[in-house]
Amino acid sequence: MWFKKRSFLIVILLLIAIHYSMKLTEFDLAKFRDFSNMIDFLTQWFPMDFSTFPRMIEDSIETLAMAFLGSFFGLLFALPLSFLAARNTTPFPPLLHATRLFLSFVRSIPEIVFGLVLLTALGLGPFPAVLAIMFHNIGVLGKLISELIESADPGPQEAMKAVGAKNGFGSLFSILPQIWPNVLSQYFYRFEVAIRTSLILGFIGGGGIGQRLFNDFKTFQYSAVSLDVLLIMIIVVIVDLIGGIIRNRII
Amino acid sequence: MIELKNVSVRYPKTTHNALSDINLSIQRREFVCVLGQSGAGKSTFIRCINGLQQPTSGEVFFDNELLSLKDEEQLRLVRREMGMIFQHFNLIPRLTVLQNVLTGVFGYRSSLKNILGWFSKTDIQLAHQVIEDVGLTDFLYRRIERLSGGQKQRVGIARALVQKPKVFLGDEPVASLDPGTANHIFSLLKDLHNRHQLLTIINVHDVSLAKRYATRIVALKDGKLQFDGTPNEFTEQQYHIIYGTHKQ
């Protein structure tokens, strides 16, 4: 009954798409016959090399700082912009479209492109990486928060209007308390993503544990690489835990 | 004090009037209950009075001033003289009782200080006073979500009282409450009406509440004014006209 002719067509289309995608990506499980190579390679990762451990910790903290600053500044700029980009709170419609256009523009540019461009002006180091993360997050958080604003319960907004509150003031007060926990959880998710992004930016000279990982890898110091990876995993888990705790206290 | 002349409202993309040709004059000290089936135009009627809804044609006067001549800023100044309560309370979630009541002063204050949550001593004293008036002193710092429906509506009433309104409007304020609580809310409204010489206009479903508390009953049917008179004049026959044939 729920299986209509149309679903049959969709299945066929999906199968065709899967077939061509596998062809284009050379997807072939038979290639796993050289699986033992990977085992050999991974055994070189152990035992871990702790000789540069203190420097690794420093780099990890630098990565954490990059991710935090980039995503937090992103949030600071995104918050006011998202009120302009939400249909129900924008002061006037042309501004709505202009802000949305700006947000999708900065969102569509990957951090690594921002990073490569900014490197030419600012030189190597974490500063251009922070800016790259910030720009991208303005776009992402701006869109997410403006959607939260649009789906906020209109009742309290009407009440603020009836009280005689000025428009912007009323929206701020009736909407922000409603969306605040969701804003925070989006923010912490973006913070976590920013950690991973800052690793990639480290590969192009953005500093932090990402750059160390890249350098260790390129100089075949696999026993150091394993420790780098472990530290990265620990950072991500810690940020996730802190985010969870803060969010629980807010709700 | 409030006068409606030939007021009609038609919402965009609809074929009939939500309100048609309403003529009504309401004086200070009246307690008006507006009756009518769902969709009869009660909400639209209430919203025309404080300018949340502009009439498609006709005129609304408040203190002899024409509302439709006013711009958004002047309307704001009119609205802060009118307290309003709602069926779904429309309180701000995650804030405490005191914080919600304090938002009632936003028509008068909108400084950076208020954004940061700092209010003057007089504002806070006033908020404490009205919270006592509605009997919620024990719940000052309780969050809205942890209150019962009746308590939430009391917070709504307190928020409106902080405005020091001349007019008190209610859009089905007891429709989501049980009958006992509804009665309590109405007796509170009546008490405040007498104490502060408020002009009170309330939409209700429950005819018995209207007959018990109102000084005047207005009934709408299909957007038209069907009845306007004292509670005693609102007879069984009127009831049948407004609500159809059978009384529950």
Side-chain angles (χ1 to χ4, degrees):
Chain A
M1 212 166 329
W2 36 268
F3 197 80
K4 300 192 185 93
K5 257 188 202 160
R6 226 178 59 169
S7 15
F8 196 66
L9 189 74
I10 290 170
V11 169
I12 290 177
L13 284 175
L14 263 176
L15 286 175
I16 293 171
I18 289 170
H19 175 76
Y20 278 98
S21 304
M22 282 172 97
K23 234 180 180 175
L24 285 169
T25 56
E26 297 165 23
F27 193 95
D28 181 8
L29 289 177
K31 287 182 178 169
F32 271 103
R33 59 179 171 264
D34 297 329
F35 192 66
S36 56
N37 288 354
M38 201 164 93
I39 306 277
D40 280 348
F41 173 62
L42 283 177
T43 51
Q44 293 176 43
W45 286 34
F46 298 97
M48 289 181 182
D49 175 11
F50 279 86
S51 61
T52 52
F53 187 66
R55 304 266 294 283
M56 282 181 190
I57 292 287
E58 272 171 36
D59 285 346
S60 302
I61 292 172
E62 188 176 275
T63 293
L64 210 55
M66 277 158 67
F68 167 69
L69 262 193
S71 55
F72 191 71
F73 283 172
L75 178 68
L76 284 187
F77 285 107
L79 258 181
L81 285 177
S82 53
F83 276 87
L84 302 181
R87 221 173 284 279
N88 51 343
T89 54
T90 194
F92 87 125
L95 202 58
L96 171 98
H97 296 292
T99 319
R100 285 190 174 185
L101 199 69
F102 169 75
L103 290 177
S104 34
F105 177 71
V106 287
R107 197 168 58 243
S108 65
I109 301 170
E111 287 103 331
I112 192 143
V113 175
F114 270 125
L116 287 169
V117 172
L118 288 168
L119 274 180
T120 59
L122 303 169
L124 291 174
F127 182 46
V130 169
L131 292 184
I133 293 171
M134 180 189 84
F135 280 123
H136 189 75
N137 273 306
I138 291 174
V140 175
L141 288 170
K143 181 190 164 69
L144 290 172
I145 297 172
S146 71
E147 280 169 2
L148 289 176
I149 293 171
E150 285 182 350
S151 60
D153 176 11
Q157 296 168 57
E158 190 186 29
M160 284 298 98
K161 217 174 166 187
V163 153
K166 284 188 178 140
N167 258 341
F169 202 70
S171 331
L172 194 70
F173 257 90
S174 52
I175 294 174
L176 216 49
Q178 288 187 56
I179 63 170
W180 194 233
N182 285 327
V183 170
L184 272 187
S185 66
Q186 298 286 11
Y187 168 70
F188 275 103
Y189 176 64
R190 293 308 304 175
F191 186 7
E192 201 191 303
V193 172
I195 290 170
R196 268 168 273 149
T197 310
S198 65
L199 300 180
I200 306 292
L201 291 170
F203 289 8
I204 61 166
I209 190 85
Q211 186 161 351
R212 175 168 294 277
L213 173 70
F214 191 65
N215 290 341
D216 286 343
F217 201 86
K218 285 293 163 191
T219 51
F220 309 108
Q221 298 177 43
Y222 298 126
S223 48
V225 165
S226 56
L227 192 56
D228 292 332
V229 172
L230 182 68
L231 279 174
I232 290 166
M233 286 160 70
I234 290 172
I235 298 173
V236 172
V237 170
I238 287 175
V239 169
D240 195 39
L241 280 178
I242 293 173
I245 291 168
I246 291 180
R247 198 173 173 274
N248 280 336
R249 299 198 75 166
I250 291 283
I251 290 176
Chain B
M1 191 149 141
I2 288 171
E3 205 171 351
L4 282 77
K5 282 186 181 163
N6 307 316
V7 170
S8 294
V9 174
R10 177 174 292 189
Y11 290 109
K13 292 173 192 163
T14 57
T15 52
H16 63 280
N17 285 338
L19 273 187
S20 40
D21 210 22
I22 303 289
N23 284 289
L24 209 61
S25 171
I26 302 168
Q27 302 309 316
R28 177 169 269 258
R29 309 255 25 212
E30 283 190 280
F31 192 114
V32 182
C33 280
V34 184
L35 296 173
Q37 283 185 315
S38 304
K42 301 194 297 292
S43 285
T44 310
F45 174 76
I46 287 278
R47 281 169 171 71
C48 278
I49 292 170
N50 67 354
L52 283 178
Q53 176 68 47
Q54 289 288 351
T56 318
S57 63
E59 295 158 332
V60 181
F61 294 90
F62 173 60
D63 276 346
N64 298 318
E65 286 184 61
L66 184 60
L67 288 194
S68 55
L69 283 182
K70 294 177 180 289
D71 61 22
E72 209 28 56
E73 176 61 17
Q74 289 167 318
L75 267 181
R76 192 176 76 75
L77 302 183
V78 171
R79 279 191 203 118
R80 67 183 193 187
E81 296 189 65
M82 302 188 184
M84 186 171 184
I85 53 176
F86 306 84
Q87 177 179 357
H88 299 294
F89 321 122
N90 290 358
L91 301 170
I92 302 173
R94 287 193 190 83
L95 298 188
T96 63
V97 170
L98 182 61
Q99 285 170 323
N100 259 286
V101 171
L102 279 169
T103 62
V105 303
F106 283 168
Y108 298 91
R109 326 229 189 296
S110 52
S111 64
L112 183 69
K113 271 163 112 185
N114 299 141
I115 291 184
L116 296 172
W118 298 328
F119 291 88
S120 69
K121 268 216 173 90
T122 47
D123 285 348
I124 292 176
Q125 265 168 9
L126 179 63
H128 276 98
Q129 180 59 47
V130 297
I131 290 171
E132 197 183 322
D133 286 351
V134 300
L136 286 178
T137 307
D138 293 342
F139 303 98
L140 273 177
Y141 299 105
R142 183 167 289 195
R143 284 221 249 167
I144 291 308
E145 299 90 86
R146 297 187 49 217
L147 299 178
S148 69
Q151 290 168 334
K152 282 181 187 168
Q153 196 56 283
R154 284 167 193 271
V155 178
I157 293 169
R159 174 172 67 186
L161 284 178
V162 159
Q163 295 172 242
K164 294 195 170 152
K166 291 183 186 163
V167 179
F168 212 95
L169 304 173
D171 186 16
E172 301 270 9
V174 298
S176 10
L177 303 176
D178 64 77
T181 312
N183 196 32
H184 280 307
I185 293 290
F186 257 83
S187 71
L188 175 62
L189 288 173
K190 184 76 177 182
D191 181 40
L192 295 167
H193 163 81
N194 290 332
R195 200 146 28 114
H196 300 288
Q197 283 104 50
L198 292 168
L199 162 52
T200 307
I201 306 174
I202 308 284
N203 287 345
V204 260
H205 268 304
D206 188 341
V207 179
S208 61
L209 278 176
K211 292 191 89 159
R212 196 175 320 154
Y213 291 101
T215 61
R216 177 177 176 185
I217 288 179
V218 166
L220 299 173
K221 187 176 169 68
D222 300 328
K224 296 188 192 71
L225 190 63
Q226 180 69 42
F227 173 86
D228 179 8
T230 64
N232 286 332
E233 288 163 4
F234 191 83
T235 57
E236 192 93 351
Q237 195 190 350
Q238 288 296 335
Y239 184 94
H240 290 311
I241 296 171
I242 302 297
Y243 288 99
T245 45
H246 296 290
K247 189 170 181 176
Q248 297 100 322

